[in-house]
Coordinates of all heavy atoms in Angstrom, one line a residue:
F221 N 11.6 12.2 -36.7 CA 12.2 13.4 -36.2 C 13.7 13.1 -36.0 O 14.2 11.9 -36.1 CB 11.6 13.9 -34.8 CG 11.5 12.8 -33.8 CD1 12.6 12.4 -33.0 CD2 10.3 12.1 -33.6 CE1 12.4 11.4 -32.0 CE2 10.2 11.1 -32.7 CZ 11.3 10.7 -31.9
T222 N 14.5 14.1 -35.7 CA 15.9 13.9 -35.5 C 16.2 13.0 -34.4 O 15.7 13.2 -33.3 CB 16.6 15.3 -35.3 OG1 16.3 16.2 -36.4 CG2 18.1 15.1 -35.1
G223 N 17.0 11.9 -34.6 CA 17.3 11.0 -33.6 C 16.4 9.7 -33.6 O 16.7 8.8 -32.9
A224 N 15.3 9.8 -34.5 CA 14.5 8.6 -34.6 C 15.1 7.6 -35.6 O 14.8 7.7 -36.8 CB 13.1 9.0 -35.0
N225 N 16.0 6.8 -35.1 CA 16.8 5.9 -36.0 C 16.1 4.6 -36.2 O 16.7 3.7 -37.0 CB 18.2 5.7 -35.4 CG 18.9 7.1 -35.3 OD1 18.8 7.9 -36.2 ND2 19.6 7.2 -34.2
E226 N 15.0 4.3 -35.6 CA 14.3 3.0 -35.8 C 12.8 3.2 -35.4 O 12.4 4.2 -34.8 CB 14.9 2.0 -34.8 CG 14.8 2.4 -33.4 CD 15.5 1.4 -32.4 OE1 15.9 0.4 -32.9 OE2 15.5 1.7 -31.2
N227 N 12.0 2.2 -35.9 CA 10.6 2.2 -35.4 C 10.5 1.8 -34.0 O 11.3 0.8 -33.5 CB 9.8 1.2 -36.3 CG 9.7 1.6 -37.7 OD1 9.7 2.8 -38.0 ND2 9.6 0.7 -38.6
R228 N 9.7 2.4 -33.2 CA 9.7 2.1 -31.8 C 8.2 2.2 -31.2 O 7.5 3.2 -31.5 CB 10.6 3.1 -31.0 CG 10.7 2.8 -29.5 CD 11.7 3.6 -28.9 NE 11.8 3.4 -27.4 CZ 12.6 4.0 -26.6 NH1 13.5 4.8 -27.1 NH2 12.6 3.7 -25.3
N229 N 7.8 1.2 -30.5 CA 6.5 1.3 -29.8 C 6.6 2.2 -28.6 O 7.6 2.4 -28.0 CB 6.1 -0.1 -29.4 CG 5.7 -1.0 -30.5 OD1 5.2 -0.5 -31.5 ND2 5.8 -2.3 -30.4
G230 N 5.4 2.8 -28.3 CA 5.4 3.6 -27.1 C 4.8 2.8 -25.9 O 4.5 1.6 -26.0
F231 N 4.5 3.6 -24.8 CA 4.0 2.9 -23.6 C 2.6 2.4 -23.9 O 2.2 1.4 -23.3 CB 3.9 4.0 -22.5 CG 5.3 4.3 -21.9 CD1 5.7 5.7 -21.9 CD2 6.2 3.4 -21.5 CE1 6.9 6.0 -21.4 CE2 7.4 3.7 -21.0 CZ 7.8 5.0 -21.0
F232 N 1.8 3.0 -24.7 CA 0.5 2.5 -25.0 C 0.5 1.1 -25.7 O -0.3 0.2 -25.3 CB -0.3 3.5 -25.8 CG -1.1 4.5 -25.0 CD1 -0.6 5.7 -24.7 CD2 -2.4 4.2 -24.6 CE1 -1.3 6.6 -23.9 CE2 -3.1 5.1 -23.8 CZ -2.6 6.3 -23.5
Q233 N 1.4 1.0 -26.6 CA 1.5 -0.3 -27.3 C 2.0 -1.4 -26.3 O 1.6 -2.5 -26.3 CB 2.5 -0.2 -28.5 CG 1.9 0.6 -29.7 CD 2.3 2.0 -29.7 OE1 2.7 2.6 -28.6 NE2 2.3 2.6 -30.8
A234 N 2.9 -1.0 -25.4 CA 3.4 -1.9 -24.4 C 2.3 -2.4 -23.4 O 2.4 -3.5 -22.9 CB 4.6 -1.3 -23.6
A235 N 1.3 -1.5 -23.2 CA 0.2 -1.8 -22.3 C -0.9 -2.5 -22.9 O -2.0 -2.8 -22.3 CB -0.3 -0.5 -21.6
H236 N -0.8 -2.9 -24.2 CA -1.9 -3.6 -24.9 C -2.4 -4.8 -24.2 O -1.7 -5.6 -23.6 CB -1.4 -4.0 -26.3 CG -2.5 -4.6 -27.2 ND1 -3.6 -4.0 -27.5 CD2 -2.5 -5.8 -27.8 CE1 -4.4 -4.7 -28.3 NE2 -3.7 -5.9 -28.5
K237 N -3.8 -4.8 -24.0 CA -4.5 -5.9 -23.3 C -4.4 -5.7 -21.8 O -5.1 -6.4 -21.0 CB -4.0 -7.3 -23.6 CG -4.1 -7.7 -25.0 CD -5.6 -7.9 -25.4 CE -5.8 -8.5 -26.8 NZ -7.2 -8.7 -27.1
G238 N -3.7 -4.7 -21.3 CA -3.5 -4.4 -19.9 C -4.0 -3.0 -19.5 O -5.0 -2.5 -20.0

Side-chain angles (χ1 to χ4, degrees):
F221 50 83
T222 303
N225 300 320
E226 59 182 356
N227 293 330
R228 184 171 176 180
N229 286 332
F231 290 127
F232 268 94
Q233 289 94 337
H236 184 55
K237 297 292 185 180

